[in-house]
């Protein structure tokens, strides 16, 4: 079969494979997201590391610069100290030489030469007020004397120092003066800490960083913040290696942590991730819906396949060109061809019987023209030549857009039905024939009696005629035709009557095929009148008919209806046998009902009527209340009437007795035209 349903539809369960199919993309997407989030963080980290390293390098450089400058000053002062120690420098020369040291750089506020008791020998600035050393500075002086090594004092505000602003943080540098082991005093150079920064930190560095000098407790000694305060993100601390003082250089970049780029990156990563997640969820939903729909479809397919395979009705779908697009197994069984031989074929079909080819072609042409016969009987031919009678129902095939795409036909194999019908028909015929014979057996004796009459009459008329002839012969006279003619006419009439009786019996008994024709009720009654009257006379029943002259004819088999009438009239006559003779009246009345276009015929008697227990089994075969009754009469009557598309019923007669009524379709003008 080329149809999809023939493929085995194994129910697919979710396997380990399909789980992997799901897990893998999810893991990959999560991994991708993790990398996306990690990347900007990493970039930021790298950038900040780079800036930090740069700052450290720059700070180192600044520290070196400061150290270098201080080194130069230290060297100059050491040279001076040496000269003083050797006694080459008088106090008068000292003023001038100290003033020259000051020219080394602006960071030096002043330089003084002190005796061991702290009194001034010379100063770089003779105009300035006398020097007053702070306590810390004096302690340092004492220390230098002991250690014989130059030392710095811890920077502080020297309120008593007249050379500086009151809040200025100053730092002294003591160089001890020795002549051999003889302590001569100290050279004291005073530094302005703020000038250290202003003079020694290059401008480009100050532009980007806040530079601070702090002591051991992080107290600010001097600060340079040309570009505003630092942000505290990139900072570096570096101790200035000054003997006796603890001063540290702190740089703090004015740059804040890298922001814009990571923000942009993080933002886009979040948006991208959300988008990705959303599309993943949407995809997931879509796929789940698809899977569900697929499952439902598959289930429906298997249900449909099971249904189609279990059907005994053949199914055949054709497209608008008449090409077969689908057949079910039942159809293949009916026509005896496998689906591969039929599906996709255009007429003529292999199962068309040659003798009905024309019929098929005409029907097919009308199908192509869009006119389909919704139901028809035909027959197909199997490959072995056997003919299969079928009943075909056709309906348009419409797709989900409401557009017709072809035709769907269901085909019933009616071989069995046909066989049964044929068997029934034969049985019925046999039954009718035997019923007719039985009826005949009954009336045969009456017939003998009845024929006696005309025969006796014929005999007496012919005897009379012979007498007339004999007398004329004896006298030698001519025969008197006036005497002879009536006798012979009577004899002839009687002979005809006898002949008619015999003929009607013969007609009635003859076995024949049913033949429908248009017959009048009156002519039907005329045909059997002799037989009815024969029975009626026997039972002293008076027989009357009341048939309107304009009554339409009925379409019927004459003999069958005659037998119905004979049966009903005989039953009626027999029902009246035991009632007073004056009431024994048999009446046959017919009328036409225009609304239903039917002719009804009533056989009315005034007999003993039908009790309830008899009524229940009235139409059952072989039911009879009569000693010699066969019980088939009413059963045959009903079958015969229904065969003609009519119905048989009975009702009690208001005047006593029973009325049996049958109706038959009338032959109207319309039905005449049809025929
Ligand atoms: P049969 O005449 O051989 O008995 P039928 O089938 O014709 O068989 O009738 C069955 C029974 O129906 C009769 O035996 C009779 O009892 C009853 N029957 C039929 N017609 C009449 C009638 N017109 N009046 C009363 N009884 C009737």
């Amino acid at each position: 079969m080329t149809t999809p349903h023939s493929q085995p539809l194994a129910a697919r369960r979710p396997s380990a494979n399909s789980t992997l199919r799901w897990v893998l993309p999810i893991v990959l997407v999560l991994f991708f997201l993790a990398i996306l989030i990690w990347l900007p963080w990493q970039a930021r980290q790298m950038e900040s590391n780079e800036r930090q390293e740069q700052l450290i390098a720059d700070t180192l450089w600044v520290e070196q610069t400061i150290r270098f400058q201080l080194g130069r000053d230290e060297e100059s002062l050491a040279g001076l100290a040496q000269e003083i120690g050797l006694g080459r420098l008088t106090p008068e020369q000292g003023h001038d030489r100290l003033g020259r040291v000051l020219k080394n750089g602006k960071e030096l506020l002043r330089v003084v030469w002190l005796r061991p008791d702290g009194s001034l020998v010379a100063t770089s600035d003779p105009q300035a007020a006398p020097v007053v050393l702070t306590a810390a500075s004096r302690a340092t002086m004492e220390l230098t004397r002991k250690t014989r090594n130059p030392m710095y004092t811890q920077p502080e505000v020297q309120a008593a120092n007249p050379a500086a602003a009151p809040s200025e943080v100053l730092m002294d540098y003591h160089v001890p003066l020795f002549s051999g082991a003889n302590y001569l005093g100290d050279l004291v150079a005073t530094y302005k800490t703020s000038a250290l920064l202003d003079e020694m930190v290059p401008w480009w560095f100050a532009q980007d960083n806040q530079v601070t000098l702090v002591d051991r407790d992080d107290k600010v000694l001097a600060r340079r913040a040309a570009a505003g305060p630092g942000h505290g993100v990139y900072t570096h601390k570096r101790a200035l290696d000054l003997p006796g003082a603890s001063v540290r250089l702190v740089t703090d970049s004015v740059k804040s942590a890298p922001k814009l780029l990571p923000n942009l990156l993080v933002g886009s990563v979040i948006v991208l991730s959300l988008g990705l997640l959303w599309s993943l969820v949407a995809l997931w939903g879509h796929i789940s819906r698809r899977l569900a729909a697929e499952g439902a479809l598959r289930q429906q397919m298997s249900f449909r396949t099971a249904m189609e395979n279990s059907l005994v009705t053949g199914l055949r779908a054709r497209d608008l060109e008449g090409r077969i697009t689908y057949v079910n197994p039942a159809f293949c069984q009916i026509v005896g061809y496998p689906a591969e031989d039929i599906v996709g074929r255009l007429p003529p079909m292999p199962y068309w019987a040659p003798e009905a080819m024309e019929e098929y072609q005409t029907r097919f042409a009308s199908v192509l023209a869009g006119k389909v016969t919704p139901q028809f009987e035909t027959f197909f031919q199997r490959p072995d030549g056997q003919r299969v009678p079928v009943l075909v129902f056709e309906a348009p095939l419409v797709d989900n857009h409401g557009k017709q795409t072809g035709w769907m036909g269901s085909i019933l194999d009616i071989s069995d039905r046909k066989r049964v019908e044929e068997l029934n028909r034969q049985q019925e015929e046999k039954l009718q024939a035997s019923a007719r014979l039985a009826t005949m057996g009954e009336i045969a004796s009456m017939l003998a009696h009845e024929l006696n009459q005309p025969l006796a009459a014929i005999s007496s008329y012919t005897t009379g005629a012979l007498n007339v002839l004999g007398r004329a012969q004896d006298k030698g006279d001519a025969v008197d035709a006036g005497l002879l003619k009536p006798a012979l006419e009577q004899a002839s009439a009687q002979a005809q009557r006898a002949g008619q009786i015999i003929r009607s019996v013969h007609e009635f008994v003859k076995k024949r095929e049913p033949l429908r024709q248009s017959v009048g009720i009156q002519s039907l009654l005329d045909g059997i009148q002799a037989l009815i009257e024969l029975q009626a006379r026997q039972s002293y029943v008076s027989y009357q008919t009341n048939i309107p002259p304009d009554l339409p004819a009925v379409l019927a088999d004459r003999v069958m209806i005659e037998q119905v009438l004979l049966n009903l009239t005989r039953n009626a006559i027999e029902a009246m046998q035991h009632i007073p003779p004056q009431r024994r009246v048999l009446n046959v009345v017919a009328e036409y009902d225009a609304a239903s276009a039917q002719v009804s015929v009533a056989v009315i008697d005034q007999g003993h009527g039908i009790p309830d227990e008899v009524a229940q089994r009235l139409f059952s075969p072989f039911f009879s209340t009569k000693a010699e009754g066969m019980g088939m009469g009413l059963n045959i009557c009903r079958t015969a009437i229904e065969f003609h598309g009519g119905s048989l019923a009975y009702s009690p007669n208001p005047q006593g007795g029973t009325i049996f009524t049958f109706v038959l379709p009338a032959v109207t003008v319309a039905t005449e035209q049809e025929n």
Side-chain angles (χ1 to χ4, degrees):
M1 283 258 238
T2 53
T3 45
H5 75 256
S6 61
Q7 286 150 18
L9 283 161
R12 287 187 217 151
R13 267 176 227 97
S15 60
N17 208 5
S18 74
T19 320
L20 195 72
R21 252 207 313 271
W22 271 113
V23 168
L24 199 65
I26 290 172
V27 167
L28 286 179
V29 164
L30 289 179
F31 188 59
F32 176 68
L33 285 182
I35 288 186
L36 272 186
I37 292 166
W38 176 76
L39 266 181
W41 179 83
Q42 175 65 12
R44 189 192 138 123
Q45 202 63 27
M46 273 166 66
E47 193 189 335
S48 109
N49 283 350
E50 207 173 290
R51 284 193 184 178
Q52 182 68 33
E53 277 164 20
Q54 183 67 42
L55 182 79
I56 291 171
D58 290 349
T59 309
L60 265 176
W61 195 85
V62 170
E63 187 237 0
Q64 287 303 316
T65 314
I66 295 175
R67 273 289 337 148
F68 177 74
Q69 187 63 33
L70 290 177
R72 267 182 58 195
D73 294 340
E74 284 167 13
E75 259 172 44
S76 306
L77 290 170
L80 265 179
Q82 207 174 8
E83 278 183 54
I84 293 171
L86 292 174
R88 288 191 200 147
L89 203 69
T90 63
E92 289 74 39
Q93 289 170 315
H95 289 300
D96 183 39
R97 291 294 298 276
L98 292 178
R100 254 190 274 160
V101 173
L102 219 58
K103 291 202 175 72
N104 272 351
K106 285 181 184 155
E107 68 280 3
L108 277 173
L109 187 65
R110 62 162 191 206
V111 187
V112 291
W113 176 2
L114 299 179
R115 292 192 190 84
D117 60 357
S119 57
L120 187 78
V121 182
T123 170
S124 59
D125 192 1
Q127 277 84 46
V131 177
V132 184
L133 290 183
T134 60
S137 196
R138 270 200 307 276
T140 308
M141 187 170 167
E142 185 59 26
L143 226 83
T144 52
R145 188 181 64 80
K146 283 181 188 155
T147 59
R148 303 173 68 123
N149 278 331
M151 275 180 107
Y152 287 89
T153 59
Q154 188 61 32
E156 59 185 337
V157 175
Q158 295 183 6
N161 193 329
S167 62
E168 189 92 66
V169 178
L170 305 174
M171 179 177 72
D172 290 342
Y173 177 59
H174 291 256
V175 184
L177 303 170
F178 280 94
S179 165
N182 232 1
Y183 177 59
L184 302 179
D186 266 11
L187 274 181
V188 181
T190 304
Y191 286 95
K192 274 203 289 185
T193 50
S194 59
L196 281 179
L197 296 183
D198 291 341
E199 292 305 309
M200 296 175 199
V201 175
W203 67 268
W204 53 263
F205 186 76
Q207 203 64 38
D208 279 350
N209 302 281
Q210 169 188 283
V211 194
T212 321
L213 289 175
V214 297
D215 65 5
R216 196 186 291 110
D217 305 325
D218 282 341
K219 207 176 100 196
V220 176
L221 305 175
R223 168 167 289 162
R224 183 168 170 194
H231 275 86
V233 179
Y234 309 107
T235 59
H236 190 64
K237 237 179 223 180
R238 183 100 201 147
L240 291 178
D241 191 16
L242 304 177
S246 159
V247 177
R248 286 181 294 171
L249 176 71
V250 180
T251 48
D252 184 354
S253 173
V254 295
K255 284 183 187 146
S256 53
K259 255 185 208 141
L260 183 67
L261 181 71
N263 279 355
L264 261 182
L265 268 176
V266 170
S268 46
V269 162
I270 289 174
V271 168
L272 268 180
S273 311
L274 286 180
L276 198 68
L277 275 180
W278 178 80
S279 54
L280 200 71
V281 168
L283 191 72
W284 194 315
H286 178 72
I287 290 183
S288 322
R289 274 198 301 279
R290 272 195 72 143
L291 281 180
E294 225 174 79
L297 201 70
R298 208 176 296 130
Q299 199 173 356
Q300 206 157 5
M301 273 297 278
S302 22
F303 175 73
R304 210 191 81 177
T305 311
M307 206 172 73
E308 282 167 4
N309 291 345
S310 69
L311 271 183
V312 289
T313 309
L315 291 178
R316 171 196 62 187
R318 292 189 286 181
D319 64 12
L320 288 173
E321 285 170 51
R323 185 180 291 106
I324 291 192
T325 53
Y326 165 79
V327 290
N328 72 340
F331 183 83
C332 298
Q333 211 159 21
I334 292 173
V335 296
Y337 285 94
E340 307 80 273
D341 289 7
I342 330 176
V343 173
R345 276 192 76 141
L346 276 168
M349 296 302 170
Y351 50 80
W352 283 10
E355 64 270 28
M357 205 54 97
E358 212 168 295
E359 175 202 330
Y360 297 138
Q361 294 284 17
T362 340
R363 202 176 300 118
F364 180 62
S366 73
V367 165
L368 284 190
K371 276 182 281 158
V372 75
T373 329
Q375 179 187 343
F376 56 89
E377 256 185 62
T378 181
F379 57 90
F380 289 154
Q381 181 189 319
R382 292 203 171 133
D384 59 6
Q386 191 194 340
R387 307 297 198 259
V388 194
V390 287
L391 188 61
V392 181
F393 301 87
E394 294 251 43
L397 196 62
V398 175
D399 68 5
N400 52 349
H401 303 297
K403 207 180 124 234
Q404 189 184 345
T405 57
W407 304 96
M408 181 53 119
S410 58
I411 293 95
L412 274 181
D413 181 350
I414 50 170
S415 316
D416 290 345
R417 203 177 88 185
K418 284 270 168 198
R419 246 197 310 280
V420 170
E421 267 177 23
E422 178 60 23
L423 219 69
N424 261 350
R425 201 183 57 78
Q426 285 173 3
Q427 286 289 346
E428 193 74 27
E429 234 168 57
K430 274 188 202 154
L431 211 59
Q432 285 199 16
S434 31
R436 276 199 297 272
L437 284 176
T439 316
M440 267 309 106
E442 280 173 44
I443 46 183
S445 57
M446 295 183 256
L447 197 63
H449 171 79
E450 185 63 19
L451 282 179
N452 250 347
Q453 240 181 351
L455 288 178
I458 291 168
S459 160
S460 59
Y461 284 129
T462 43
T463 314
L466 280 175
N467 285 345
V468 173
L469 275 178
R471 268 202 303 278
Q473 218 171 21
D474 292 348
K475 287 182 193 167
D477 286 354
V479 182
D480 183 359
L483 272 175
L484 212 49
K485 200 177 170 211
L488 287 179
E489 275 172 355
Q490 282 295 328
S492 160
Q494 289 298 327
Q496 266 174 18
R497 190 175 150 224
Q500 199 191 350
I501 291 170
I502 290 169
R503 242 194 330 278
S504 62
V505 170
H506 179 70
E507 274 290 307
F508 188 70
V509 176
K510 210 163 60 179
K511 185 173 181 293
R512 45 185 283 289
E513 292 290 319
L515 171 72
R516 281 195 210 188
Q517 61 197 69
S518 171
V519 279
I521 298 295
Q522 185 63 63
S523 93
L524 278 172
L525 285 171
D526 289 347
I528 50 169
Q529 186 177 6
L531 296 177
I532 297 172
E533 278 178 347
L534 183 61
Q535 299 177 81
R537 253 200 311 282
Q538 293 265 311
S539 303
Y540 304 103
V541 169
S542 80
Y543 168 55
Q544 300 166 359
T545 60
N546 186 3
I547 315 292
D550 58 347
L551 189 74
V554 291
L555 192 66
D557 179 74
R558 171 179 273 275
V559 178
M560 280 170 99
I561 305 303
E562 275 178 359
Q563 188 174 359
V564 170
L565 281 169
L566 257 185
N567 268 332
L568 294 181
T569 49
R570 193 199 57 199
N571 277 347
I573 292 166
E574 282 172 356
M576 292 189 284
Q577 261 167 2
H578 302 293
I579 57 158
Q582 68 276 9
R583 293 198 55 205
R584 295 183 196 171
V585 182
L586 166 63
N587 213 347
V588 177
V589 180
E591 56 188 35
Y592 174 60
D593 175 27
S596 61
Q598 282 179 325
V599 170
S600 70
V601 181
V603 178
I604 306 165
D605 69 55
Q606 302 194 41
H608 52 64
I610 300 176
D612 280 350
E613 65 273 15
V614 174
Q616 280 167 11
R617 305 175 56 200
L618 204 59
F619 292 100
S620 311
F622 306 111
F623 170 75
S624 174
T625 55
K626 298 166 197 166
E628 280 143 30
M630 206 168 121
M632 284 306 295
L634 285 179
N635 180 273
I636 289 174
C637 287
R638 192 166 66 170
T639 314
I641 293 298
E642 283 172 1
F643 171 77
H644 284 88
S647 62
L648 172 65
Y650 75 93
S651 57
N653 184 0
Q655 276 110 51
T658 316
I659 304 175
F660 272 89
T661 313
F662 65 84
V663 292
L664 286 174
V667 179
T668 56
V669 182
T671 48
E672 248 165 0
Q673 269 173 0
E674 258 177 46
N675 289 290

